[in-house]
Amino acid sequence: MERLIVKGGTRLQGTIPVSGCKNAVLPIAVAAAILGDGVSVLHNVPNLTDVKTLSAVLEGLGATTKIKKSSLYIEPINHLEYEAPYELVRKMRASIYVLGPLVAKLGKAKVSFPGGCAIGPRPIDLHIRGLEHLGAEVTVESGYIYAQAKRLVGTEMYLMGPHGPSVGATANIMMAATLAEGTTVIRGAACEPHISDLARFLNAMGADIEGIGTSVLTIHGVKQLRGTEHTVISDDIEAGTFIVASAITRGDVYVKGITPQQIPAISEKLTEAGVELDWDDNGVRVTTPREIRGIDVTTEPFPGFPTDMQAQIMGLLCLASGTSIIMENVHTDRYIHAAELNRMGADIMLDGSKAVINGVGRLSGAPVMASDLRAGAVLVAVGMAAIGETIVSRVYHIDRGYESIEEKLNNVGANIKRVTDNGEET
Ligand code: EPZ
């Protein structure tokens, strides 16, 4: 397995371009491949292993996909394959997105139950409940979900779970409802920017969705959806990660291709911590003139502070003056990176969903392990600020959600090498 060797003591300076949003392109590609009756073309598609894995799932269902630079051409499924197999679904939870669209389009679906991962059990009861509200018959047997319905019928539903709205369930049910008979109202819908981007794509295909960007989505079912062309929004979490990377190295970086509306809570909390964000029409200049102050952060569904930025801000707060408290309210087990940061000299104490971070003056490089894509990203960011060398293993986690992370960072002054297990530079 590949590793990243990160030299410490670097200060980032220059421009980092933000790529397309992973969590938007995944459901949009599913909609294009299953719900559409014609070819769709997606632009600003990031070069990620998750995109490759999803393309394999869609090809397995009979769609044809072709990537050219950052454009993804998708020809919808043309035969009745309706099974998403375990060996692909286990690699990526987002494969569950095919469930609703397959039932809406083909009347049936057989999808492997997605596994849990390092950040918690990742249940899908809301996905199943939403489909049952639409009239589907859903059973779970030997690790597979079986769903079928002659025709889905629109209805009103409340889709909030114990930790708030569900991004995945909102995407799944919204996609399924586009071809249902009658009108569906989803109350407690997720409002993340990538859900709004998916809704806009579906409307461009001919769907009729109202309430985009709010927690009440109204979907008037239509008979057919056509192929269309769409430019995927930029990735708010990748942008937030690079903003933290600049701040943690006390750099001066222009993060290009993000708007303040996409990252309201990230901007707010980083400013509170002492990071300076100077916005213009194309992005934001990040400087850290003063020392970082300890702050309190609670992760919440959008527009709250995103859970996918929790590891990154924890890394920054390890070097703050004073104490910070993080409450992780979205995922039940998303602190594995804390132990890795403590290996580098951080002072983090965990107590259930609470993390107490006592800022320390400096961190030292060490061999550490990525446990999920955001945990991996923070280890790289902290490694750049630490003294000495940090070796980050299990880099495949990072590649799932970050397009050539070391290339983008080396272009602004980092010193990161990707090596194979036996130490050869790739
Ligand atoms: C999406 O996961 C993202 N993944 C995650 O990003 C992100 O952390 C999460 O949304 C929250 O923003 C993709 O978009 C591909 P949820 P998802 O359903 O849809 C509970 C990353 O770093 N829940 O919004 O799986 C669940 O346990 C990844 O890019 C139920 O209880 O998240 C969690 O506590 C990691 N029942 C909460 O809701 C359900 O049926 C939010 O989960 C579904 C979810």
Side-chain angles (χ1 to χ4, degrees), residues 184-259:
T184 300
V185 178
I186 304 176
R187 297 186 192 288
C191 318
E192 271 67 16
H194 33 285
I195 289 293
S196 299
D197 203 33
L198 170 62
R200 285 191 294 271
F201 175 73
L202 290 165
N203 278 352
M205 294 177 86
D208 183 356
I209 301 170
E210 295 163 344
I212 297 178
T214 76
S215 63
V216 181
L217 291 171
T218 301
I219 304 108
H220 305 286
V222 294
K223 287 254 176 301
Q224 193 181 17
L225 294 178
R226 56 182 177 270
T228 188
E229 199 154 353
H230 180 78
T231 298
V232 175
I233 54 169
S234 57
D235 195 312
D236 51 334
I237 305 302
E238 189 199 25
T241 304
F242 292 138
I243 291 173
V244 164
S246 172
I248 213 165
T249 61
R250 307 191 74 79
D252 181 349
V253 172
Y254 183 69
V255 179
K256 187 172 172 220
I258 191 72
T259 65

Side-chain angles (χ1 to χ4, degrees), residues 98-347:
V98 305
L99 182 65
L102 282 173
V103 181
K105 185 77 177 179
L106 305 181
K108 58 182 172 182
K110 177 185 174 189
V111 180
S112 163
F113 214 95
C117 63
I119 61 177
R122 312 297 295 276
I124 55 161
D125 56 305
L126 295 173
H127 298 244
I128 292 173
R129 198 185 313 158
L131 277 179
E132 288 173 335
H133 280 312
L134 292 175
E137 198 190 307
V138 185
T139 53
V140 178
E141 214 176 290
S142 22
Y144 275 84
I145 305 155
Y146 296 81
Q148 58 183 13
K150 270 201 184 41
R151 177 113 202 258
L152 294 176
V153 179
T155 183
E156 290 225 4
M157 67 179 80
Y158 176 74
L159 211 54
M160 194 88 98
H163 299 269
S166 160
V167 168
T170 301
N172 225 329
I173 302 311
M174 175 168 66
M175 287 192 279
T178 57
L179 294 180
E181 201 165 306
T183 295
T184 300
V185 178
I186 304 176
R187 297 186 192 288
C191 318
E192 271 67 16
H194 33 285
I195 289 293
S196 299
D197 203 33
L198 170 62
R200 285 191 294 271
F201 175 73
L202 290 165
N203 278 352
M205 294 177 86
D208 183 356
I209 301 170
E210 295 163 344
I212 297 178
T214 76
S215 63
V216 181
L217 291 171
T218 301
I219 304 108
H220 305 286
V222 294
K223 287 254 176 301
Q224 193 181 17
L225 294 178
R226 56 182 177 270
T228 188
E229 199 154 353
H230 180 78
T231 298
V232 175
I233 54 169
S234 57
D235 195 312
D236 51 334
I237 305 302
E238 189 199 25
T241 304
F242 292 138
I243 291 173
V244 164
S246 172
I248 213 165
T249 61
R250 307 191 74 79
D252 181 349
V253 172
Y254 183 69
V255 179
K256 187 172 172 220
I258 191 72
T259 65
Q261 293 74 21
Q262 285 176 272
I263 54 170
I266 296 170
S267 310
E268 175 63 30
K269 293 311 274 185
L270 288 174
T271 304
E272 188 188 333
V275 180
E276 274 209 14
L277 301 175
D278 296 315
W279 289 94
D280 64 25
D281 294 347
N282 300 311
V284 59
R285 182 180 173 194
V286 187
T287 51
T288 319
R290 291 175 299 283
E291 62 178 2
I292 295 295
R293 292 186 290 271
I295 59 169
D296 295 344
V297 181
T298 299
T299 69
E300 279 158 335
F302 192 85
F305 190 88
T307 173
D308 295 348
M309 277 295 298
Q310 181 255 100
Q312 298 90 315
I313 201 160
M314 179 183 277
L316 178 66
L317 295 173
C318 288
L319 288 167
S321 64
T323 299
S324 306
I325 294 178
I326 294 179
M327 295 299 293
E328 171 55 64
N329 281 349
V330 177
H331 291 295
T332 53
D333 188 8
R334 194 170 201 171
Y335 283 135
I336 297 186
H337 45 277
E340 299 304 299
L341 292 168
N342 281 343
R343 287 172 48 73
M344 299 175 74
D347 176 1

Side-chain angles (χ1 to χ4, degrees), residues 370-391:
S371 51
D372 74 79
L373 66 165
R374 310 305 174 185
V378 72
L379 295 173
V380 171
V382 170
M384 290 187 290
I387 295 169
E389 188 175 85
T390 296
I391 302 173

Side-chain angles (χ1 to χ4, degrees), residues 123 224 400 406:
Q224 193 181 17
R400 288 190 50 191
E406 72 270 25

